[in-house]
Amino acid sequence: MRVLFVCLGNICRSPTAEGVLRALAAREAPDLTLEVDSAGTAGYHIGEPPDPRTRAAAARRGYDLSTLRARVVEPGDFERFDLILAMDRENLRVLRRRAPADAHERLRLFLEFAPHGHAAEDVPDPYYGGANGFEEVLDLVEAAARGLLAHLRRQPRAA
Ligand code: 4NP
């Protein structure tokens, strides 16, 4: 299974999801053959590591994001990945415009996988907000990553 997380800049939300899912899968589902990556719909930060605030908040919960580097979504991603998960509805709209028709069924909102009771659809963009935004990203991402992992374990070949 190949999973791609997509946000705007690929320096806050989607690298967090990449690091969290990878760590969770290694710990709780080592049997699952999973490839995890992330990318942005915008190219403002290509080649940069995740935002220092994102890295610090993730490190406090035990996730090391320091080796990740930002990139933009490219046409080949729509063929390569089994699931392409947008961090919010705006980025999902952008992906729908860019993806070929046969990839649309593989485009989803990441928070669809959060447990019922989590009403949010979007992981809010923390870039211009306060420190609490980065904690909120981690809370939402950890919840949805658990749900996604459960989903992948139920149907490891066809998400
Ligand atoms: P991300 O956050 O999409 O979660 O990586 C952002 C990062 C950078 C910008 C916006 C959002 N920016 O405008 O540079």
Side-chain angles (χ1 to χ4, degrees), residues 7-13 44-45 125 127-128:
C7 62
L8 180 64
N10 193 211
I11 56 168
C12 297
R13 292 166 292 173
Y44 316 125
H45 297 279
D125 183 348
Y127 191 69
Y128 291 109

Side-chain angles (χ1 to χ4, degrees), residues 46 55 95:
I46 292 173
R55 274 186 282 152
L95 288 170

Side-chain angles (χ1 to χ4, degrees), residues 39-117:
T41 55
Y44 316 125
H45 297 279
I46 292 173
E48 294 178 21
D51 185 283
R53 298 164 296 174
T54 291
R55 274 186 282 152
R60 283 194 294 274
R61 297 196 195 188
Y63 308 107
D64 178 10
L65 307 183
S66 64
T67 61
L68 305 180
R69 295 294 179 269
R71 71 174 182 88
V72 285
V73 174
E74 52 192 40
D77 290 329
F78 296 115
E79 294 167 24
R80 174 168 180 74
F81 289 93
D82 302 294
L83 265 182
I84 300 171
L85 300 176
M87 306 302 288
D88 63 25
R89 287 167 291 180
E90 177 54 29
N91 283 294
L92 182 61
R93 274 191 286 276
V94 174
L95 288 170
R96 284 188 177 130
R97 285 200 296 272
R98 293 191 193 168
D102 66 353
H104 278 222
E105 63 185 12
R106 287 178 276 119
L107 306 177
R108 311 270 286 270
L109 271 179
F110 179 38
L111 290 191
E112 275 181 33
F113 293 95
H116 299 299

